[in-house]
Amino acid sequence: MTSASTAQSAGRTGSEHAGSGGGATEESGAPPTPGGGGGGGVPAIVRRRLATVDARLDINSWLATAVVVAIAAILRLVDLSNPKGKIFDEIYYARDSWALIDKAVEWNYKDNGPSYVVHPPLGKWLIGLGEWAFGYSDAEHNISVPGHLMTTAPEFGWRFSAALAGIVSVLLLVRIGRRLFRSTTLGCAAGLLLALDGFHLVLSRIALLDIFLLLFVLAAFGALVIDRDARRRRWSRALDSGLDPTLPGRAGRPAGGWRNWPWWRLAAGVLLGCACAVKWSALYFLPAFALLALLWEVGVRRSAGVRRPWRDALLDELPWLALAGVLMVVTYVATWSGWLLTDDGYYRLAARYPSVPGLSDTPFVGALNNLWEYHKAAYGFHKQLDDPHKYQSWPWQWLLLGRPVAIHWSSDGGCGAASCASEILLLGTPLLWWSFLPALAGAAWIGIARRDWRAGAILLCVAAGLLPWFWFALDGGRTMFSFYAAPAVPFLVLAVVYVLGAIVSPADGGARAPAGEAPAGTDDEAAAERRLVGGVVVGAYVLLVTLCFAYFYPIFVARVLPYAEWSARIWLDGRWT
């Protein structure tokens, strides 16, 4: 058997049987010694630990993915231009986004000068691309521009990119879930739950920045997961070719060369740079992702039988992690190219702001210096943001839906009743969101019991998305809103699906089995019965979430309701008003 065919066989073993993919047990036990058992001289336990999702094209999985993505697309694109006009913070972002397309910097059309903004430009560039494609209109400043692709209602133009980001994030979660759980069913369940989350739906239908932050953070995580699989396949091929991992130095490692560079890890650096270029809060994921990459490298070396996996991983991989960090910074700065390459940006030229200390007009270096001064001023704004707001909330309220944000409200008629109401409420689908805390506890318990790397990865990403806000809340009482939790939402959904998968999989031997799959050697009849019962539980849960979403759907999309029907959907003693 050739190296390639052997590695492919290992991939099939990992995706069709009960191998842990190097996840559940790779950190435990003594390192296996190569040379005994299994094809190609590689022990069967090593082959299981290094197995990954089969790299072959699976048409059925993509067809199932397409169905979930189609559902997400319909929910996000239908009647996207309703309600009319700029709602909530669209009044800022839609205008700044068009200014980037028009002048390459945020612009105050009223005063005919640059605008002072406190968020990086990438999310607004993306919103602006939708306006460029489908048209933009601003009656207040006498702006009406037709679309370059087609002209639609202007609201569609400034909301389209957010809708597209929401759709793509559902696609990514399906494929990430499938790769994590080695189950197309569980991957599609994760994507469907995200598609049916009212919080995600609302962010996908308005021109705010948070859906782009969610997208790029999730994409960076997905790139790291692919990198993990790619590195494991590399080691598996090397072992099949006769590599002795106990040898010191290069002799005990797979062959180098540019083809074997950790390209997906570098891509994760670029994607995290894009996330930071939407909102700085993406930085909280930097240490989490770096730690995951390092732990996974240690895990693959330990599974392969390397004598000093920690030392070798640190020596070999820290330079690549540093390069990924450099790419992140370069990507971030590149998104400011409109500000850097023109003279119109706020703080861009010292001559225009003589009262601001620290600015410089020195070529190139002066531009970077002034950009740094701009960032210092923006950071100062964020640090002192403590003005009270009607819809502010604390991080400990977010998963409980204690104080959602009313994005739009109207009491105009049109429902055939004496009193009508129309609202867009940034509210998570209640049944799904009230499952998050139990799911986190369950994922922690099961992950420890089964020594499962996926539980740790999911929980670490949830912590990166939520815990920093607890610190800010306790430290200074900064004004916060529930949409700050957006980048954590896909990982919260993965926690739910992880527990659902554990319900399907047998308890005994579970430490070696991916969620949703029976371990090798489990009694076929008992495993089938467990999967049947678990499948019914999972199906019932997804159905209940779907029904809950359908009930609240009218207040996610500003559908006009009789006042009594609207009021029936405002729970928790009116805390949602």
Side-chain angles (χ1 to χ4, degrees):
M1 183 180 290
T2 65
S3 300
S5 63
T6 304
Q8 190 179 53
S9 176
R12 288 196 296 272
T13 301
S15 63
E16 296 171 3
H17 299 296
S20 69
T25 59
E26 69 181 19
E27 301 298 335
S28 61
T33 302
V42 181
I45 188 173
V46 176
R47 192 171 300 282
R48 279 202 308 273
R49 290 175 176 178
L50 294 179
T52 60
V53 171
D54 196 334
R56 298 172 303 171
L57 178 64
D58 185 342
I59 297 298
N60 290 333
S61 80
W62 279 104
L63 288 176
T65 300
V67 171
V68 174
V69 173
I71 293 171
I74 292 170
L75 291 172
R76 282 148 182 78
L77 291 175
V78 170
D79 203 20
L80 184 60
S81 57
N82 180 54
K84 299 298 182 182
K86 297 182 176 73
I87 57 175
F88 199 61
D89 282 353
E90 285 185 343
I91 192 171
Y92 307 113
Y93 294 128
R95 188 171 299 161
D96 287 343
S97 299
W98 173 250
L100 284 169
I101 299 298
D102 184 31
K103 297 181 177 294
V105 295
E106 293 90 346
W107 195 256
N108 185 332
Y109 286 95
K110 179 180 179 180
D111 299 331
N112 196 31
S115 288
Y116 173 64
V117 296
V118 294
H119 288 302
L122 182 57
K124 289 167 281 187
W125 275 113
L126 295 174
I127 294 171
L129 288 177
E131 295 170 334
W132 175 89
F134 299 106
Y136 176 73
S137 178
D138 186 343
E140 181 182 352
H141 299 101
N142 197 29
I143 300 174
S144 181
V145 183
H148 286 73
L149 299 183
M150 61 181 294
T151 299
T152 63
E155 295 84 1
F156 186 90
W158 62 66
R159 295 172 188 161
F160 173 77
S161 293
L164 183 60
I167 295 165
V168 173
S169 64
V170 170
L171 168 63
L172 289 177
L173 194 63
V174 173
R175 304 312 295 180
I176 291 170
R178 179 180 181 271
R179 189 172 286 270
L180 285 176
F181 306 128
R182 299 194 198 158
S183 167
T184 298
T185 301
L186 292 179
C188 288
L192 185 60
L193 290 175
L194 188 64
L196 298 178
D197 174 34
F199 185 90
H200 186 273
L201 177 70
V202 171
L203 289 179
S204 301
R205 291 175 59 92
I206 56 177
L208 300 187
L209 302 180
D210 302 271
I211 193 66
F212 304 107
L213 174 63
L214 180 156
L215 172 65
F216 286 120
V217 167
L218 181 61
F221 176 76
L224 285 179
V225 173
I226 297 175
D227 174 71
R228 178 186 182 276
D229 283 355
R231 306 292 279 182
R232 303 184 84 78
R233 283 194 294 269
R234 178 181 175 227
W235 276 90
S236 182
R237 287 193 298 267
L239 292 173
D240 284 336
S241 300
L243 174 73
D244 183 354
T246 63
L247 294 176
R250 294 292 177 187
R253 303 171 196 172
W258 67 270
R259 288 187 177 86
N260 292 316
W261 287 6
W263 291 108
W264 283 105
R265 193 180 311 167
L266 299 179
V270 172
L271 290 166
L272 192 56
C274 291
C276 293
V278 176
K279 277 191 170 183
W280 292 344
S281 53
L283 282 171
Y284 305 144
F285 288 88
L286 176 59
F289 287 172
L291 181 60
L292 283 179
L294 183 59
L295 289 176
W296 291 346
E297 275 294 338
V298 172
V300 69
R301 291 163 191 266
R302 180 171 291 171
S303 296
V306 174
R307 291 187 182 275
R308 297 180 177 84
W310 275 100
R311 186 200 67 175
D312 290 357
L314 288 170
L315 289 175
D316 290 349
E317 305 306 326
L318 282 182
W320 291 114
L321 290 174
L323 179 57
V326 170
L327 291 175
M328 183 187 77
V329 173
V330 170
T331 300
Y332 177 82
V333 173
T335 64
W336 286 85
S337 57
W339 189 94
L340 290 167
L341 299 177
T342 69
D343 294 336
D344 295 327
Y346 201 89
Y347 276 20
R348 176 62 182 84
L349 295 178
R352 293 185 180 177
Y353 301 92
S355 62
V356 179
L359 299 185
S360 170
D361 283 341
T362 305
F364 184 71
V365 175
L368 294 177
N369 172 78
N370 295 354
L371 184 60
W372 174 250
E373 293 295 330
Y374 192 176
H375 279 63
K376 287 168 58 178
Y379 176 74
F381 170 86
H382 287 296
K383 191 175 181 180
Q384 298 175 12
L385 185 61
D386 56 5
D387 294 337
H389 192 283
K390 181 179 180 179
Y391 295 111
Q392 71 182 63
S393 58
W394 300 113
W396 45 86
Q397 296 177 286
W398 295 345
L399 300 190
L400 300 175
L401 302 178
R403 188 55 173 158
V405 178
I407 302 294
H408 165 78
W409 162 263
S410 174
S411 58
D412 293 341
C415 65
S419 179
C420 303
S422 170
E423 183 173 27
I424 295 178
L425 188 64
L426 184 57
L427 175 76
T429 300
L431 180 58
L432 175 62
W433 276 61
W434 290 336
S435 302
F436 286 160
L437 287 176
L440 292 175
W445 179 269
I446 297 167
I448 293 172
R450 299 187 177 187
R451 292 171 291 176
D452 193 337
W453 65 272
R454 292 161 306 173
I458 292 168
L459 292 172
L460 183 60
C461 292
V462 170
L466 295 180
L467 290 186
W469 299 112
F470 282 81
W471 167 260
F472 287 122
L474 297 173
D475 183 52
R478 184 187 189 278
T479 306
M480 302 181 196
F481 302 90
S482 61
F483 50 78
Y484 290 3
V489 170
F491 302 104
L492 291 163
V493 171
L494 287 175
V496 171
V497 175
Y498 178 82
V499 174
L500 294 177
I503 292 173
V504 175
S505 66
D508 64 310
R512 296 181 182 275
E517 297 182 11
T522 302
D523 180 75
D524 290 341
E525 184 176 347
E529 182 178 354
R530 174 63 178 266
R531 286 195 296 272
L532 177 61
V533 174
V536 171
V537 172
V538 172
Y541 174 81
V542 173
L543 177 60
L544 289 173
V545 169
T546 303
L547 294 175
C548 184
F549 170 81
Y551 178 72
F552 285 96
Y553 177 77
I555 63 172
F556 296 149
V557 297
R559 180 168 293 176
V560 180
L561 296 172
Y563 188 85
E565 292 188 22
W566 167 82
S567 181
R569 290 167 170 82
I570 304 302
W571 293 359
L572 299 187
D573 294 329
R575 288 187 177 90
W576 292 357
T577 57

